[in-house]
Amino acid sequence: MDRTAWLELPPEARSAAEAYTSTVEYAETAETGVMSRLACTLHTTTGRVFVKGTRSDEPAAWMYEYEARVTRVAPLAPRVLWQVDAGGWLLTGYEYVFGLHPDLVPGSPDLGPLINALTTMAAAPWPEQVRKKPLHIRWAGFFPTDRRPDLEGLALVHSDVSPLNMLATDDGIRVLDWALACPGPAWADTAFAIPRFVHAGHTPEQAEALARTVPAYRAAAPSAVSTFAQTLCAVWESREESDPAPHRAPLISAARAWAAHREYAKV
């Protein structure tokens, strides 16, 4: 998606935001992330604020409202500070979080804090006031119908635990970008992390060992996790076919390695 710079917004939209932020001295457009039409850090006279937004008439504008509603109750998420709909733009201001994206390579000091974060995330319930397709509905058609219970759950699942959606801070890992969150099994985000571990250089066995330090994952039925692993491969392969992107192939390879390991070892 083409990014819109802060100064390209209509004056009405910028003024409405500055009523909450104070005067914006300058803005930095985010270099990562592909979903938001506007994503930038505002440097204001009272500090920094991260802002995401889109045009109010965009078909996907509802996702920004949903993301804010989920973020308000999500663990380890930045605080939602304000929302405005002005000048034809829907904007959300978030707490600015300072940190670096965690490194997932074997031996990284970020692995312990990430496991702590996954443990915390697994304990969060889905907010009943927010209606969103649960994981087993989102992935319908990619797994046998009799395996549906394997993917059911009422936990708040982020579902995109890329290091680019996390920041390692002095107080631990913070988790960003909850736009794709949905209800699902409590262990799902830990399972989503396993291909990321493999992609970073862990063997599937090492990645599984890391995941099992998260209580919710350790308690998951092995057959349910295997259903997840096979389905994740199918979903990612389908996305690669419909929307090829350079980053997809290495992640698909990692997911396949994990799924093959579970099938071979009957974990």
Side-chain angles (χ1 to χ4, degrees):
M1 179 179 292
D2 292 334
R3 280 276 161 82
T4 298
W6 173 253
L7 290 177
E8 295 174 335
L9 292 180
E12 296 87 350
R14 286 185 277 122
S15 294
E18 286 187 282
Y20 291 93
T21 66
S22 73
T23 302
V24 174
E25 297 176 328
Y26 66 97
E28 293 178 280
T29 298
E31 296 180 357
T32 59
V34 297
M35 295 184 65
S36 296
R37 189 167 295 282
L38 177 118
C40 62
T41 298
L42 303 183
H43 295 255
T44 80
T45 53
T46 56
R48 286 178 283 190
V49 179
F50 187 74
V51 178
K52 295 175 71 171
T54 193
R55 290 194 292 263
S56 303
D57 60 359
E58 285 276 354
W62 65 271
M63 291 183 63
Y64 292 77
E65 171 62 25
Y66 269 60
E67 179 180 11
R69 292 174 67 188
V70 172
T71 303
R72 285 189 175 96
V73 298
L76 310 177
R79 289 177 295 122
V80 178
L81 303 176
W82 46 264
Q83 284 185 288
V84 297
D85 191 343
W89 279 77
L90 176 64
L91 305 176
T92 306
Y94 291 92
E95 170 194 8
Y96 177 81
V97 178
F98 177 77
L100 299 176
H101 298 304
D103 187 350
L104 306 189
V105 300
S108 169
D110 293 331
L111 291 175
L114 177 56
I115 293 301
N116 291 339
L118 292 170
T119 300
T120 298
M121 292 163 70
W126 180 260
E128 293 183 3
Q129 70 273 22
V130 180
R131 301 192 65 179
K132 199 84 175 286
K133 286 182 181 179
L135 187 65
H136 68 274
I137 298 298
R138 179 185 291 182
W139 283 359
F142 290 98
F143 60 90
T145 55
D146 64 332
R147 305 305 298 178
R148 170 175 167 162
D150 290 347
L151 302 178
E152 293 179 339
L154 296 175
L156 199 172
V157 178
H158 183 282
S159 88
D160 190 16
V161 290
S162 162
L164 295 179
N165 289 334
M166 299 181 180
L167 291 173
T169 75
D170 291 341
D171 297 321
I173 299 290
R174 299 291 298 275
V175 185
L176 317 175
D177 294 335
W178 291 82
L180 299 179
C182 67
W187 47 267
D189 276 329
T190 305
F192 273 115
I194 291 177
R196 304 286 178 174
F197 293 144
V198 175
H199 179 245
H202 300 261
T203 66
E205 294 89 342
Q206 291 169 332
E208 284 273 2
L210 271 174
R212 283 195 294 272
T213 63
V214 177
Y217 185 87
R218 191 167 59 247
S223 60
V225 177
S226 293
T227 297
F228 181 102
Q230 295 290 343
T231 305
L232 181 63
C233 282
V235 170
W236 282 1
E237 288 166 352
S238 176
R239 290 178 184 170
E240 171 65 7
E241 290 178 6
S242 62
D243 183 24
H247 73 280
R248 296 195 193 280
L251 287 175
I252 291 171
S253 178
R256 286 172 177 160
W258 175 41
H261 162 69
R262 292 196 64 84
E263 179 61 25
Y264 176 77
K266 297 296 182 184
V267 178

